[in-house]
Each structure stands twice: as C-alpha cells, then as structure tokens.
Amino acid sequence: MLTINRLDDIVEIDFSGPRIDSVVAPQLKVELEQAVVDAPKRIVLDLSAVEFMDSTGLGVFVSLLKKLGADGAIAVAGVRPAVLRLFQLTRLDTLFRIVDDVPAARALVRG
Amino acid sequence: MTSPRQERWCVADVSCSCEATFAGVRLLAERLKAWCATAGVSEPARMDLELALVEAGNNIVRHGYGQKGGDDIGLEITAVAGGVELVLTDRGSPIPQGRLNAIGHPEFDSESGRGLALITACTDRIAYTESREGNRLVLFKALC
C-alpha cells in the first residue's frame, strides 16, 4: 500500500492504492506509524494515485500529524478532486499543507 | 399532481445489498459509481454522492452493527425529480434520537466523528426513520 522513501531530512510516502477508506485505514495507520519511527519529522504524502478517501482515512492522517508533534510538518501532494473535496469539507485543508506535486511539497516542508 | 417517482429519468434504478462490512460498503460505492456513469451524473455530484454513501455505510457498520458483521445493508438508488435519492436500510441499532439534529464539526485534531457532518454537507436533504422493520436513511442530492 505504501512506498516509503527516507531522505536525509524528509520521509516521502507514496500511496499506491486508489482508495483510502475504512477497509485499509487500520493497516495504513500501523504502517505510517512505523514509517516515522526514528525518522525526520518532515513528511511528504503523495496522494496522486488516490481516487477516493473517506473520513476514516483522513483520521489516519490527523493521527500522524499529532504523532509528529508541534515540530512536525506534513505536506500533501497530488491531491485529486474527490480527496481535495474531503479536505475542504472538513476544513482540514487549513491544517494540512496541500500542494500540486512532490517537489513543491519537499520545498514546503523544508521551509 | 405528479409525484417525484413518476418523473424518473429514463435509467434503471438500482436495488442491492451487501454484507455489513467496510468491504461491503465499497461494493455499494462501486454500484453507485456505475449508476452515476449510466445516468450522466456530473463528476462533482458523483463525488458527493459517493462520499455520503460511504460515510453513511461506515456508520451503519461501525455503530449500527458494532462491526460484528453477519447482517446486511440495503441500498436503493433512484433518479427522482430534480436529483438523486439514495435509500440505505439496515437492522442494526438506530442513530440516537436527536443526533441528526445536532450535527457539528469535531475538533480539528479529532481522528473521528466527521461522518454525519460530511453526509449533511454532501447532500441536500436527509430523512431518517426507525421501525420494527429496520432503519431507513434517505439521502437526496439535487442535480442541476
């Protein structure tokens, strides 16, 4: 489900599945938590392959953000229309930093 | 006076059911997507309908049946005057009285509790009844 690329200062996480929903959310939460153990707290999430996400999937990302703590940063790249709609309806587009692509996300979390 | 049901579009309605699991809800979403494609529903409206359906189905699985499985969720999709109507039926625990009248957004850092707010945001009218025959959630989405 995930491809994880650890750079020196960033963890890039690429989601391969087309749906992040209640079917996959529990396993996804476990994998994400493992991905950020002893890793940089700057995270890039590439959602370009994700066509649909529900509030359970969104809750996994909220959990990840909380786990990173105050000095953590997450940028979300490649958000497709249905997923962007979810972020906007829940107003979490104000909490997560959403950008067009992975290079922009890298630049954003690097500050 | 013509009732909404007499003014249906010229497409077949859908009546189906699934096991009350999250995987089952996925199947219902696939049926809805197929119907929307056939009916020519716009992509923004289709996205809202799918999200509302999935959130409602998830709530039935999680809260109605307590994730025990072993029962069904019914879905009817009907083109009605001015829009689309989704009817979800189940025999689980009903939504607590008053819950649908007090829907708010949870805290930003909450990891759950957004389902009903999303259903409301994605649809134009919600009706809910519970009876000995089961629970019935009707979601109406207006189409321009």
Side-chain angles (χ1 to χ4, degrees), chain A residues 19 21 54-55 85 91, chain B residues 26 48 50 55 58 105:
Chain A
R19 296 180 77 86
D21 59 10
D54 67 12
S55 65
R85 175 83 168 141
R91 302 182 222 158
Chain B
R26 260 194 190 182
D48 278 359
E50 182 179 6
E55 295 295 340
N58 286 349
H105 286 278

Side-chain angles (χ1 to χ4, degrees), chain A residues 15-82:
Chain A
F15 296 77
S16 58
R19 296 180 77 86
I20 299 179
D21 59 10
S22 296
V23 175
V24 301
Q27 179 63 29
L28 179 63
K29 185 174 182 179
V30 171
E31 292 185 24
L32 283 175
E33 287 178 353
Q34 291 172 345
V36 300
V37 170
D38 297 327
K41 292 191 173 184
R42 296 170 180 170
I43 310 291
V44 169
L45 302 178
D46 182 359
L47 298 187
S48 55
V50 179
E51 297 171 359
F52 175 85
M53 185 161 71
D54 67 12
S55 65
T56 310
L58 196 57
V60 172
F61 291 163
V62 173
S63 172
L64 179 65
L65 192 60
K66 288 160 65 177
K67 193 170 185 63
L68 294 176
D71 55 340
I74 296 179
V76 187
V79 178
R80 295 170 76 159

